[in-house]
Amino acid sequence: MDVEILKAQHRRIIRLGSALGGLAEILKTQDDASRARELMTALNAALIEHLAIEDGELYPVLLRSDDPSVRQLAEDYVDDMGAVSGAWAHYFDEWSQARILSDRRRFATASKGLIGALAHRVAREDDTLYPAMEAADARSSSMKGGAVGAS
């Protein structure tokens, strides 16, 4: 699996999250609240796309690894993502445009916390999970290459 696709998605998630967090801090008008919902919707779509690839391609490979530490790593990330996904779903559902405008300070606080959690998750995946996937791919390629060379 080419983790560069996932890393590119991470960059988009971070850009959208940063834009949302910045807007949440200065939000004042109906137009600001509307833009915040647009950013939330774009970020939601980016997260859904990203998680579909991780759930469909990344985790299945890692969960079948011969290395128990890689399998455990994948299980830990799957469990952790459930909590992050749940927090995002609650945030996304809770903060309608009207609600954002009526409680701007609380929206800014909620946004800062959730975007921080997403940024932390992205950094952990880039630092730990994706290198494990790349190593699994390298082992798989070398095993295939060895089998071909042996014939």
Side-chain angles (χ1 to χ4, degrees):
M1 153 161 226
D2 182 5
V3 297
E4 292 306 315
I5 293 167
L6 295 169
K7 290 178 181 179
Q9 289 175 332
H10 274 176
R11 290 188 294 274
R12 182 164 191 262
I13 288 166
I14 293 299
R15 278 193 307 273
L16 289 167
S18 294
L20 177 59
L23 178 59
E25 289 295 321
I26 62 167
L27 191 139
K28 290 186 175 66
T29 68
Q30 183 72 29
D31 286 343
D32 292 342
S34 176
R35 178 68 182 141
R37 273 307 296 185
E38 289 171 8
L39 287 167
M40 289 169 66
T41 299
L43 182 53
N44 191 59
L47 290 168
I48 288 170
E49 178 184 11
H50 183 73
L51 293 175
I53 293 173
E54 284 187 342
D55 291 346
E57 298 178 38
L58 178 79
Y59 292 123
V61 169
L62 295 176
L63 291 167
R64 288 190 310 265
S65 173
D66 292 334
D67 183 341
S69 66
V70 170
R71 288 193 309 270
Q72 185 62 55
L73 177 71
E75 289 172 12
D76 292 346
Y77 271 83
V78 168
D79 291 345
D80 180 61
M81 194 62 227
V84 174
S85 292
W88 170 260
H90 177 73
Y91 169 88
F92 188 77
D93 291 343
E94 179 180 11
W95 291 104
S96 65
Q97 187 173 332
R99 181 100 194 275
I100 291 168
L101 202 54
S102 72
D103 199 351
R104 296 185 308 254
R105 183 170 294 140
R106 191 162 160 255
F107 175 69
T109 300
S111 298
K112 182 178 180 178
L114 189 56
I115 292 164
L118 286 172
H120 179 70
R121 172 66 186 221
V122 163
R124 285 182 49 226
E125 286 184 0
D126 285 344
D127 293 343
T128 308
L129 191 64
Y130 296 166
M133 182 64 204
E134 290 169 328
D137 279 349
R139 280 191 301 276
S140 175
S141 293
S142 70
M143 288 174 62
K144 288 177 187 173
V148 170
S151 51

